[in-house]
């Protein structure tokens, strides 16, 4: 996945940030145990959101601990090793492998470093989750066929990845759920997947234009001359309608659901995070830098004061 579905940090609470980071770090450590150190670099914010949605669908009995790692020596929460975390790590490996393969095919090269690094982990994940592998493979096959035909419909092109993510979630996380819940969650995942595909296309317009690669936005709206801001302004009405309607449908699906495991976090992502990322993409004059999820300084400061007051209260009561 790509890194476009994440919380709105300006509205993120310390509690929700801790849960988000715990899931992220849990997937990272599970990846290390199952596939080695290098594949840990593939762990991203989108698979973290996928896992947060899966906790709602499955309500797994997760256990939490504290850890340090080479990327951040501070102690931080993480979800301990379990079948759920290993499955999320495997799904991420599969998704990242097919993304790397798709990039290689687009470039016309025979291979790439990410593809070589992921080859063995991919074979292991494929053996563990063959049904998930088949869903992703078929989704990318459909997408490549549309790319080869230079599909000019953003809806048709984005449907491939959106349908892939929806079906993938259904077979990996919706076992035993009632029909209404499953249908709403599938629709939610579909629109999240569609948002990811559209956001990636918007972010890559310059790169794809320069490399003469297929991009659904460039195929649908001609006239890009290298000026990202002018191009977005010229097609603002159509592009914003496509993206905003996708976000609105994701919100509509969430309105009919009750979240119990990660309610605050997921509502932040769906109601605020998607919209904030869309606005950031349309306002940008270049490809977005790698995102960072962190709590706003004012929120962290208030939380620190509350914790100090609570410790003082407890000490006084002893």
């Amino acid at each position: 996945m790509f890194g476009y579905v994440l919380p709105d940090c300006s509205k993120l609470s310390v509690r929700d940030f801790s849960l988000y980071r715990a899931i992220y770090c849990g997937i990272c450590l599970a990846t290390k145990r199952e596939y080695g150190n290098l594949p840990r670099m593939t762990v991203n914010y989108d698979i973290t959101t996928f896992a947060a949605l899966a906790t709602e669908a499955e309500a797994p009995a997760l256990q939490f601990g504290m850890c340090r790692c080479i990327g951040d020596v501070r102690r931080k929460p993480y979800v301990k090793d379990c079948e759920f975390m290993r499955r999320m790590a495997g799904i991420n490996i599969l998704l990242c492998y097919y993304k790397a393969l798709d990039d290689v095919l687009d470039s016309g090269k025979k291979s790439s470093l990410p593809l070589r690094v992921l080859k063995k982990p991919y074979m292991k994940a494929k053996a563990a989750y063959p049904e998930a592998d088949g869903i992703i493979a078929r989704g990318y096959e459909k997408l490549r066929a549309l790319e080869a035909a230079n599909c000019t419909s953003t809806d048709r092109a984005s449907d491939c990845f959106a349908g892939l993510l929806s079906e993938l979630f259904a077979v990996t996380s919706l076992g035993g759920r009632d029909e209404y819940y499953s249908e709403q969650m599938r629709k939610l995942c579909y629109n999240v997947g569609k948002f990811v595909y559209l956001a990636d296309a918007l972010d890559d317009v310059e790169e794809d234009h320069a490399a003469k690669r297929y991009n659904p936005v460039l195929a649908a709206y001609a006239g890009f001359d290298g000026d990202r801001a002018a191009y977005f302004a010229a097609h603002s009405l159509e592009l914003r309608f496509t993206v905003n309607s996708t976000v609105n449908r994701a919100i509509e699906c969430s309105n009919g659901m009750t979240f119990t495991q990660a309610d605050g976090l997921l509502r932040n992502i769906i109601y605020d995070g998607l919209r904030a990322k869309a606005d950031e993409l349309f306002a940008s004059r270049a490809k977005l830098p790698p995102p960072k999820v962190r709590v706003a300084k004012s929120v962290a400061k208030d939380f620190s004061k509350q914790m100090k007051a609570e410790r003082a209260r407890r000490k006084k009561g002893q």
Side-chain angles (χ1 to χ4, degrees):
M1 299 165 89
F2 309 89
Y4 297 107
V5 183
L6 58 161
D8 180 349
C9 294
S10 68
K11 301 178 180 179
L12 187 63
S13 70
V14 173
R15 177 187 181 280
D16 291 335
F17 170 68
S18 297
L19 175 59
Y20 191 79
R21 185 164 61 177
I23 295 172
Y24 183 101
C25 292
I27 297 172
C28 183
L29 291 172
T31 301
K32 175 185 176 181
R33 282 187 290 268
E34 293 294 310
Y35 306 103
N37 266 314
L38 279 179
R40 295 169 72 183
M41 302 299 292
T42 65
V43 179
N44 56 76
Y45 292 136
D46 289 345
I47 192 62
T48 306
T49 298
F50 185 96
L53 285 167
T55 63
E56 289 295 334
E58 299 182 47
L62 302 179
Q63 294 184 328
F64 296 83
M66 300 294 290
C67 70
R68 293 187 177 93
C69 74
I70 192 171
D72 188 346
V73 297
R74 296 171 296 179
R75 283 173 58 82
K76 53 189 181 295
Y78 76 102
V79 178
K80 292 184 177 180
D81 183 41
C82 61
E83 189 278 332
F84 177 82
M85 283 290 112
R86 292 192 292 272
R87 186 171 3 114
M88 295 299 109
I91 290 169
N92 183 58
I93 291 293
L94 294 174
L95 286 165
C96 289
Y97 174 82
Y98 279 100
K99 177 62 167 65
L101 177 61
D102 192 56
D103 289 343
V104 167
L105 294 173
D106 285 344
S107 68
K109 298 178 181 178
K110 292 183 178 180
S111 187
S112 68
L113 180 59
L115 197 63
R116 291 194 294 272
V117 168
L118 288 172
K119 182 64 177 180
K120 286 185 177 179
Y122 162 72
M123 295 304 294
K124 183 176 181 180
K126 178 182 178 180
Y129 311 104
E131 190 174 9
D133 177 73
I135 290 169
I136 301 170
R138 290 190 296 273
Y140 270 100
E141 184 178 354
K142 291 178 183 177
L143 181 57
R144 282 193 289 272
L146 289 176
E147 290 176 353
N150 196 40
C151 176
T152 58
S153 168
T154 54
D155 280 336
R156 285 186 63 201
S158 59
D159 177 75
C160 292
F161 189 78
L164 178 163
L165 196 66
S166 176
E167 189 178 355
L168 182 64
F169 193 89
V171 301
T172 59
S173 303
L174 284 176
R177 276 292 188 172
D178 65 77
E179 185 176 345
Y180 173 78
Y181 185 95
S182 297
E183 182 64 19
Q184 289 299 105
M185 187 63 88
R186 287 189 63 154
K187 288 180 180 178
L188 174 57
C189 290
Y190 178 93
N191 286 292
V192 168
K194 185 174 182 178
F195 178 87
V196 169
Y197 185 82
L198 292 171
D200 184 60
L202 289 168
D203 205 18
D204 288 347
V205 289
E206 289 164 308
E207 286 185 4
D208 291 340
H209 179 264
K212 297 182 179 180
R213 290 192 297 259
Y214 174 80
N215 183 301
V217 173
L218 294 174
Y221 306 104
F224 183 76
D225 61 0
D227 189 333
R228 181 190 187 97
Y231 178 75
F232 284 172
H235 302 288
S236 176
L237 186 63
E238 302 96 328
L239 290 173
R240 285 185 179 273
F241 175 81
T242 300
V243 174
N244 289 338
S245 61
T246 301
V247 174
N248 290 340
R249 284 192 290 269
I251 291 172
E252 287 172 7
C253 294
S254 302
N255 286 340
M257 303 180 70
T258 300
F259 297 139
T260 58
Q261 307 295 310
D263 180 73
L265 174 60
L266 288 173
R267 300 213 181 269
N268 176 299
I269 293 170
I270 297 164
Y271 287 76
D272 301 309
L274 296 181
R275 194 84 69 195
K277 181 56 66 175
D279 290 343
E280 186 181 4
L281 282 164
F282 285 118
S284 68
R285 294 184 173 272
K287 186 177 176 68
L288 297 182
K292 293 182 179 180
V293 175
R294 59 182 59 165
V295 175
K297 289 183 179 180
S298 59
V299 175
K301 191 175 293 185
D302 289 343
F303 181 78
S304 180
K305 288 180 180 178
Q306 291 173 15
M307 291 298 98
K308 286 181 180 179
E310 178 63 19
R311 286 194 293 269
R313 186 188 66 79
R314 290 181 179 181
K315 187 175 181 180
K316 186 176 180 180
Q318 289 179 350

